[in-house]
Structure formats: C-alpha cells, structure tokens
Amino acid sequence: MSDLEVSVGDIRAAQVRIAGDVVRTPLLPASWAPGDLWLKAENLQPIGAFKLRGAVNAIRRLDPDVRARGVVTHSSGNHGRAVAWAARAAGVRAVIVMPEEAMPVKVEATRALGAEVIMAPGVRRETVADAVRAERGMTLIPPFDHADVISGQGTLAVEILEDLTDIDTVLVPVGGGGLISGVGVAVNALSHRTRVVGVEPSLAADTRDSLANGRRIEWDAQATYRTIADGTRTPVVGEITFPIIQATVEEIVTVDEDDILAAVGTLARRAHLVAEPSGALSVAAYLAEPRKYGRAVAVLSGGNIDPPVLARALGLTP
C-alpha cells in the first residue's frame, strides 16, 4: 500500500485536524437485526452525512491565502452541503454546483448555509464547477477524488476500530469511492482480521464492474439516475480511489431498489434512525445475507432524505 496516495498516518492527522468540528458519531448495536450488527451513525453529523469529515479536512489543509479566495465543488447534495458548512466555519465563500435532478431538501439545506448554488445538468456539473474555479480563482474541493477528502472520510473507520473489537466486516456505501477508500486504508492498517465490503445499487454498479475488469468502467450517466440512492449516481469510480479500492476492499456487492427502500423503513422503525437511500445501502446488504458478514458494522453514511421518499419507505404512500 506504500504507493497509494493516502496512508493511515494521513488519516490519523486528519482525525486531530477535524476534531473540533466533526462529531464522533456513536456506534450503535442493532439488537433487532439477525446476527451481530452495529451501526455507525454518520447521519448524526451536523450536516447529516459523513461528507463533513473530508470537507473540513480539505479546507483546513489549504494555505490561508488560497483558502481566502473561496472554494467550489460539484455535488448531488451531501458533499456540497459539507463544503458549504466547512467554508462558513472558515469564513470563506463557497460555490456549489448541483445537478438539476438533486433532491430539493439537499439544495435548500446547502443554500441555507450561505453558499451560492448553481444548478446544472447532472452530466455537466464537473465542467461548470471547473469553469467557476477558473473564472473566480477559487479552489476546487472534489467530492471524492482528493487525498485530503479521502483522509478525512477515513477517520470514521478509526473511530469504529477504537469503539469495537473483533469486527469481521465493515459494510460501506459506494459512490465515487472516497468513503470506502478512506475506510479501506484505515481498516487494512489497523485490523488485519477485518474485511471491507462495498455496497452499490444494482442500477449504479460501476465500481463492482471496475473491480471485476481490473480497470475503471464508466456507466452511462443517465442510467445511474434510475436509482433512488442519489449519492451513488457517479458514473465512474475515481482515478485516485480506484487503486485504493483494489488494494483494500474485498468485494463490492449490490442491492436492488426494493431492498434499499425496505432498509430505510426498517432503520426508521426499528433503530429510530433516519437514513437516506444511499446511507441505508450497507444495512440493505447485511439484511439480505446476515450470515455472510459475521460481526459487522454498517456505515449509515447519511440521513438527508426527502420527505416523500421517507413516506414511501414507510409505506405511507403508494
């Protein structure tokens, strides 16, 4: 792992750097589930998702004069909200380019943090963000393909391993790969007995296909918008994250849309936790095959769910 762009030392340093702003989220026993399942409740972060870890770390790592010029990113929601929060905490401007298909609750929450939000077609959001960067002299904080972002995300794995011993499996939702890359580096360095398993929707399984083929496989961007798990609609895993995933992740499993919604409903009813579809992927995978994972930790990556989607998951609407 020495040639990877992120080390466990980077993650340890990030843990110290972000401690004043990021919540050390609880690791909760899921006694209602079969087997031995624990939940890492990242939906309890101030912005409702793990993304705050990477955004705070990346912005704090910037030189003061660079940071003062402001930051820009592109995001379907949670990373944008995290960058807006971290930028406000640092006293700098933030521009967030969001896809026109983004969940309204995420768009409004990002605006409420004082960021300028620019809506763009989903397939053009990176291009628009890069144009803003060039025109305004801002620094781009990518949603996943950045060493400082990955290091920040990996801090949650250090917390898991400090709070619980003898873990067989950590189940992690996968979009662009920033979270699972950080988790993979930390777990592989600190707990050799623990395997890392990624979870994708079957309708956006580019990372699964990439691992199977030994190279990055890009899905049609519009095809990924079929999944309700909006945080995983990235059509291709990152250039930086992919080799880390290859080196540290045992496998990628997929879940279907019905199982995702069922997991959201189960978490609300049984665990009293609100998880968005992307955040519930890990629990959906565990509930499908609990005997496969042994003593497992499921990362609940976010809880920013549109009310109509939550109502649907709870069976309150057709």
Side-chain angles (χ1 to χ4, degrees):
M1 287 175 51
S2 60
D3 58 343
L4 302 180
E5 294 204 26
V6 174
S7 70
V8 70
D10 296 326
I11 294 170
R12 290 285 199 189
Q15 188 177 27
V16 174
R17 192 175 295 116
I18 70 177
D21 290 312
V22 173
V23 171
R24 184 187 177 104
T25 54
L27 191 62
L28 304 172
S31 56
W32 45 268
D36 190 358
L37 176 65
W38 295 72
L39 308 174
K40 181 61 171 171
E42 285 295 291
N43 55 321
L44 301 180
Q45 288 292 348
I47 58 95
F50 76 95
K51 291 283 192 177
L52 190 62
R53 296 173 181 270
V56 169
N57 190 51
I59 289 175
R60 285 199 168 186
R61 285 271 291 158
L62 295 174
D63 290 337
D65 59 332
V66 173
R67 185 167 55 237
R69 293 197 290 270
V71 294
V72 59
T73 195
H74 52 89
S75 168
S76 63
N78 286 339
H79 176 69
R81 189 173 177 181
V83 169
W85 192 99
R88 186 178 70 173
V92 300
R93 295 175 300 146
V95 176
I96 316 298
V97 180
M98 303 185 74
E100 294 168 346
E101 304 87 349
M103 295 288 187
V105 67
K106 295 184 178 182
V107 176
E108 293 310 312
T110 303
R111 286 197 175 109
L113 288 167
E116 177 186 349
V117 175
I118 298 175
M119 305 303 294
V123 295
R124 295 194 61 247
R125 64 185 187 179
E126 293 185 39
T127 303
V128 173
D130 194 57
V132 171
R133 176 199 59 77
E135 292 168 6
R136 306 192 192 184
M138 291 177 153
T139 297
L140 180 68
I141 307 293
F144 51 85
D145 223 19
H146 189 283
D148 293 333
V149 171
I150 295 167
S151 297
Q153 318 306 26
T155 59
L156 72 82
V158 176
E159 293 174 7
I160 289 171
L161 296 171
E162 289 174 345
D163 290 347
L164 187 67
T165 58
D166 301 325
I167 302 169
D168 296 308
T169 310
V170 179
L171 290 154
V172 187
V174 180
L179 174 59
I180 198 168
S181 294
V183 170
V185 169
V187 169
N188 273 257
L190 302 175
S191 180
H192 297 300
R193 73 179 300 275
T194 304
R195 57 182 177 159
V196 178
V197 174
V199 188
E200 287 183 305
S202 57
L203 296 181
D206 58 285
T207 306
R208 176 202 63 189
D209 291 352
S210 297
L211 276 185
N213 286 273
R215 61 184 178 85
R216 295 165 69 230
I217 300 294
E218 184 170 359
W219 277 42
D220 177 77
Q222 291 301 322
T224 66
Y225 275 81
R226 297 173 298 165
T227 180
I228 197 170
D230 60 297
T232 67
R233 291 170 179 166
T234 305
V236 63
V237 67
E239 292 184 18
I240 295 174
T241 61
F242 182 55
I244 299 177
I245 292 169
Q246 286 182 301
T248 64
V249 174
E250 180 169 298
E251 67 173 322
I252 304 290
V253 300
T254 61
V255 290
D256 64 27
E257 300 296 290
D258 288 343
D259 286 343
I260 296 169
L261 276 175
V264 171
T266 297
L267 285 163
R269 290 192 182 94
R270 303 297 302 275
H272 314 295
L273 293 169
V274 175
E276 61 193 274
S278 303
L281 288 171
S282 53
V283 171
Y286 179 86
L287 293 177
E289 296 184 274
R291 294 181 181 178
K292 175 179 178 178
Y293 300 111
R295 181 175 234 199
V297 173
V299 177
L300 303 187
S301 58
N304 297 314
I305 188 170
D306 260 6
V309 177
L310 180 57
R312 181 179 164 197
L314 292 172
L316 303 178
T317 59

